[in-house]
Amino acid sequence: MKKIVVLGAGYAGLQTVHRLQKLVRGKAQITLVDKNDYHYEATELHEVASGTQPALKITYPLADVLDPAVTTFVQAEVVKVDQAKKQVELRDRAALAYDYCVLALGFVSETFGIKGAKENALEMTNIKQALAIYDHIMEAMRKYKKTKDKKYLQLIVCGAGFTGIELAGALAEGRATYAKEAGVAPKEVKITVIEAATRLLPMFSEKLATYGVKLVESLDVTLLCGAKIMEVAPEKVIYEKDGQNESLNAATIIWTTGVSGSPVVNASNLKERRGRVVVTKHLTDPDDDELYLLGDVAAVMDETTERPYPTTAQIATQMANYAAKDLAERINTGHHLARPFTYHSKGTVASVGNTHGFGVVGKTEIKGYPASFVKKMIMNKSLYEIGGVKELLAKGRFDLYH
Ligand SMILES: Cc1cc2nc3c(=O)[nH]c(=O)nc-3n(C[C@H](O)[C@H](O)[C@H](O)COP(=O)(O)OP(=O)(O)OC[C@H]3O[C@@H](n4cnc5c(N)ncnc54)[C@H](O)[C@@H]3O)c2cc1C
């Protein structure tokens, strides 16, 4: 029996296991490792951070998906992959030996070395952090009630990429709840997004990006573009705009300027850049054919643009489907699949609040309510692929707007 160790139960890791369980039954043993005994939908973290969705709606127990006859689950923190010894080092546990390893440990926040960002801004890369953001906002509102200091009503989002825009929309939707806690009118709660670029959302046409910006602004969110963040001090963001240093005070500062791949990639001495490895056409490490890298730790080159595809849940899931088939092929025949991995985008859609959005599906630009609907359908598809109808029903996902 071959030993397959899958690291990470996010989109890439869990989908790999879900597929593999059926393909290698009786021929391989699978071990899945994650820090948590649940899967969370990272694409919805902004909803938990803003309090517009409970954490339970975007998480489900791994036990619901795993087949104990084929897969063993180990709850532990991965420290490093030792390729020479073909084993995975875990914190406070014995190492795990493997024949094939699938590294799918996702993303962490990238501060680009900006002073004070790590210490003074809140990150939003997992459920615990998202819940901590919501608690922090509500605590700030209670502090306002006691002190009447306006900084407690200020929320700053650093970075107006996809995540920052989605978060700003969700915070706008949560505004009435925050205001109630502070005992003020909703318009007193101020939401500002600070962004260095002047042309936002470059993945969309200028017309569609402008629509998205207007949509966010219509929710009374201030978008401060062309403002380069120089430092995050305690409860203060210092930025440069038009050659001048300026600053904004806020008790809540959330960091969404970008992500890099898991630090385990660097700790494992792989040839990486920002925690990502440019993988082979079979999604393996160029220096180690027994190590697959999937999801946000991998860079897959788009041959038309000669740049890596953006890291998304969509590409992570497609990589997982391919890797599971490729692994099964190797176990059955000793060879890789003849066809290389290719990515087919179903569309890129940003949600703004619960009922609006904008994006592109195929060559068609979509806006407003239809975009929000499409986004929910794309995300439901991944939940369906991994969890099946049971999870969709359990999460109330057929009732899309509650
Ligand atoms: C707010 C937000 C909105 C987004 N919206 C979209 C969208 O609309 N569409 C889209 O396609 N993508 C979107 N993304 C991007 C998408 O979420 C990621 O690309 C995707 O989650 C990557 O999947 P993954 O499997 O590589 O990693 P993840 O889903 O992050 O899973 C990684 C797993 O590894 C575990 N783990 C991490 N480190 C360790 C360790 N050391 N030891 C043990 N376990 C560990 C984690 O617990 C987790 O279960 C969004 C991201 C964010 C933050």
Side-chain angles (χ1 to χ4, degrees):
M1 290 271 251
K2 291 283 186 194
K3 289 194 196 94
I4 305 173
V5 174
V6 178
L7 309 176
Y11 292 95
L14 194 56
Q15 177 70 357
T16 305
V17 171
H18 175 62
R19 287 275 160 139
L20 264 179
Q21 286 181 152
K22 292 176 192 138
L23 296 171
V24 299
R25 180 178 275 273
K27 294 175 196 146
Q29 285 173 322
I30 304 169
T31 304
L32 173 65
V33 186
D34 200 286
K35 282 183 213 172
N36 307 306
D37 60 0
Y38 56 85
H39 167 82
Y40 58 89
E41 291 180 80
T43 58
E44 312 299 310
L45 283 173
H46 55 294
E47 303 260 9
V48 174
S50 64
T52 50
Q53 293 271 11
L56 263 181
K57 192 143 181 188
I58 71 160
T59 55
Y60 59 86
L62 294 176
D64 282 8
V65 178
L66 304 183
D67 176 352
V70 195
T71 306
T72 306
F73 174 63
V74 175
Q75 186 169 358
E77 184 188 332
V78 177
V79 176
K80 176 184 168 179
V81 178
D82 187 331
Q83 293 167 281
K85 291 189 186 154
K86 290 191 94 173
Q87 65 179 31
V88 177
E89 291 178 15
L90 306 176
R91 185 156 325 277
D92 302 329
R93 291 189 70 133
L96 290 170
Y98 66 81
D99 295 302
Y100 296 105
C101 179
V102 176
L103 205 169
L105 292 170
F107 60 95
V108 291
S109 225
E110 174 64 80
T111 60
F112 302 101
I114 293 171
K115 196 175 162 197
K118 193 109 203 124
E119 298 78 16
N120 301 314
L122 299 161
E123 294 178 16
M124 190 181 68
T125 64
N126 57 44
I127 285 282
K128 282 179 194 144
Q129 289 176 350
L131 284 169
I133 290 174
Y134 181 63
D135 289 346
H136 184 98
I137 295 172
M138 295 306 265
E139 181 60 19
M141 298 300 138
R142 287 189 286 275
K143 283 189 180 153
Y144 174 80
K145 215 172 184 173
K146 275 195 204 144
T147 62
K148 303 292 177 220
D149 186 337
K150 293 244 186 233
K151 74 177 179 193
Y152 290 116
L153 299 179
Q154 283 278 1
L155 314 179
I156 296 180
V157 176
C158 300
F162 212 83
T163 304
I165 290 288
E166 289 202 314
L167 176 63
L171 291 173
E173 199 150 288
R175 183 187 257 138
T177 310
Y178 317 149
K180 198 169 167 207
E181 194 77 358
V184 297
K187 66 174 176 16
E188 299 293 318
V189 177
K190 305 288 181 201
I191 303 165
T192 307
V193 185
I194 303 183
E195 167 62 50
T198 45
R199 161 75 164 94
L200 298 189
L201 303 164
M203 68 290 264
F204 297 135
S205 71
E206 200 150 355
K207 204 168 141 213
L208 188 63
T210 305
Y211 171 86
V213 167
K214 292 224 166 87
L215 187 59
V216 175
E217 286 176 335
S218 73
L219 303 172
D220 196 18
V221 170
T222 305
L223 278 174
L224 215 56
C225 295
K228 190 173 172 216
I229 298 174
M230 309 304 288
E231 183 182 344
V232 184
E235 302 190 331
K236 188 197 276 196
V237 178
I238 301 156
Y239 57 91
E240 189 194 289
K241 190 163 166 60
D242 304 326
Q244 302 280 331
N245 266 9
E246 296 181 29
S247 67
L248 194 61
N249 292 329
T252 305
I253 301 168
I254 309 168
W255 195 256
T256 64
T257 58
V259 293
S260 45
S262 164
V264 170
V265 173
N266 179 277
S268 306
N269 298 319
L270 302 177
K271 282 190 196 121
E272 48 97 34
R273 201 167 152 254
R274 282 180 57 196
R276 292 190 188 114
V277 175
V278 179
V279 287
T280 66
K281 61 184 182 172
H282 298 297
L283 306 180
T284 54
D285 178 28
D287 298 325
D288 180 357
D289 205 31
E290 265 80 59
L291 176 65
Y292 288 76
L293 292 125
L294 310 181
D296 279 23
V297 294
V300 176
M301 297 308 284
D302 176 350
E303 278 167 14
T304 50
T305 61
E306 292 180 357
R307 299 186 58 182
Y309 286 108
T311 51
T312 62
Q314 243 190 89
I315 195 167
T317 312
Q318 289 184 32
M319 289 171 99
N321 289 339
Y322 177 89
K325 282 195 194 134
D326 193 56
L327 269 164
E329 184 74 10
R330 290 174 82 178
I331 285 167
N332 286 326
T333 68
H335 302 291
H336 281 290
L337 290 172
R339 66 177 173 91
F341 171 74
T342 45
Y343 173 54
H344 303 285
S345 172
K346 296 190 193 91
T348 308
V349 185
S351 62
V352 178
N354 193 32
T355 52
H356 284 80
F358 60 97
V360 183
V361 176
K363 289 199 163 66
T364 312
E365 295 190 343
I366 51 171
K367 297 173 183 170
Y369 176 85
S372 152
F373 182 80
V374 168
K375 164 108 187 190
K376 284 172 203 253
M377 294 315 286
I378 293 174
M379 288 307 143
N380 274 356
K381 187 167 183 295
S382 92
L383 188 60
Y384 174 74
E385 279 188 9
I386 302 173
V389 173
K390 186 176 149 224
E391 290 301 339
L392 271 177
L393 285 172
K395 303 293 172 198
R397 289 299 178 81
F398 285 127
D399 181 9
L400 290 179
Y401 288 96
H402 290 96

